[in-house]
Amino acid sequence: MRTFPEHFKWGAASSSYQIEGAAQADGKGMSVWDMMCQWPGKIYGGETGDDACEHYYRYREDVAEMKTIGLETYRFSVSWPRVLPDGIGKVNAKGLEFYDRLVDCLLEADIEPWVTLFHWDYPLALYQKGGWLNRDSVDWFGEYASVIGEALGDRVSHWMTLNEPQCFMGNGHLWGSHAPGDKLPMPLALKAMHHALMAHGNGVLALRKHCELKPKIGWAPNCSAAIPVSESAEDVETARKDFFKVSSGTFFNNSLWSDPVYLGRYPEEAAEVFGADWPDFDDGDMTLIAQPLDFIGYNCYSGYLIKASPNGGSESIAAVPGEPVGTLDWLKVMPDSLYWASRMFAERYGPKPIYITENGLCNTDWVSSDGAVHDPQRIDYISSYLQGVKRAVSEGIDVSGYFYWSIFDNFEWAEGYRSRFGLVHVDFGTQKRTLKDSAWWYRNLIQTNGESLDVKEYDVNLLVADPVR
Ligand code: FCB
């Protein structure tokens, strides 16, 4: 099987609210997540991102850990209200300086910074002006993107506009489980979706205008892979149809978001599926939404099995009790996910390089009595998922990079801190960082450009004997 291409990028990801802490420091404005965390009963254990990993203060130490792991790329997001406390208007110099220093520090460590403009911490001040429901939100995002492009675009060349719009719209504006906690009626939620898509397009335009280095721009929607039970033409076609079908009552749709961005139109079935709820969108908006992108980014943790039924429809496969799952029950361990998702995105929206902008496993890792953090399940998860990437590459699909989620254990939104995704363990009492076994394993994988994936038995003793450790 063809191995990973020479230019393949090995990285890890994070987001501002989940790691930075310093929620009120140096003139930062409030975000909708700062608001939500004060809302009794919304977050597990009443936890907040007020301190998180204190990355705002500890970023040098954190970049040093990344360097030890050998990351080639690091995907992080900028906190919009840290830089623009009111969302627009006056720039908070101290907030911007933080990202300036972080980018320099990464470059000194020879780690390529990949910047996400928006990973959910929306400025509260703009939410109070109507947020995504207000069509001006398109311009607000453009202004924000200009400020960041101007400030960092001389050193940053890879950008993502929005992270998982399905989640911040679905969980945040339709179901109320994430910030800002809204339960909008569908016609309004669809309007907000449309504005977010337009904002994405406007963000791309702003980056192209303001970045000094020629920017490479994508975005990071999420998906759950449709995995055919067999590779018969019927099962594969059924999976493909299901992956791109439009479902009503939810934003967890792929084509609803990605067709406008890559193809310049909403999927035809959307108007039918959403019926009277479907707004009459202005055709002119689609040109803004469909700005040419340089790569296909996607986040994927899981998938589901599906097969063709004899009547020409589809059948999903019932869950087996006790099947492998992370500590968050949506995270079913389905190793073929990255193969099928890459293949399906490439077929519909390619040819373009694909970057897996998030993939990872949550567990209850702790520091063992020997001082190490043993997380064999995470190693198995990453290695089995990456076999799917390797297969995709061997079939000529241009997967050019992988970002493990996450570099650190962190604040997992409404789930608080109990589910740990990190390569680096964080003790949230002392802020002590400990590289998990998976971090050492990943280091080896990066050093061999993925060749060590085929070493079946990873030997923890070998890891312990590692000279760096
Ligand atoms: C994704 C989010 C990320 C993190 C992971 C576990 O949905 O983009 O912030 O919460 O899931």
Side-chain angles (χ1 to χ4, degrees), residues 1 8 25 136 187 248:
M1 222 190 249
F8 195 87
D136 290 347
S248 64

Side-chain angles (χ1 to χ4, degrees), residues 242-294:
D242 203 77
F243 189 66
F244 289 113
K245 80 163 188 275
V246 179
S247 306
S248 64
T250 175
F251 275 140
F252 288 97
N253 276 297
N254 295 317
S255 59
L256 184 66
W257 294 91
S258 287
D259 277 14
V261 163
Y262 296 111
L263 309 177
R265 53 173 165 68
Y266 284 107
E268 255 170 44
E269 61 188 301
E272 194 185 314
V273 169
F274 285 96
D277 289 344
W278 188 251
D280 204 5
F281 294 122
D282 187 341
D283 277 353
D285 297 347
M286 303 316 286
T287 316
L288 178 61
I289 294 175
Q291 292 306 308
L293 294 181
D294 302 292

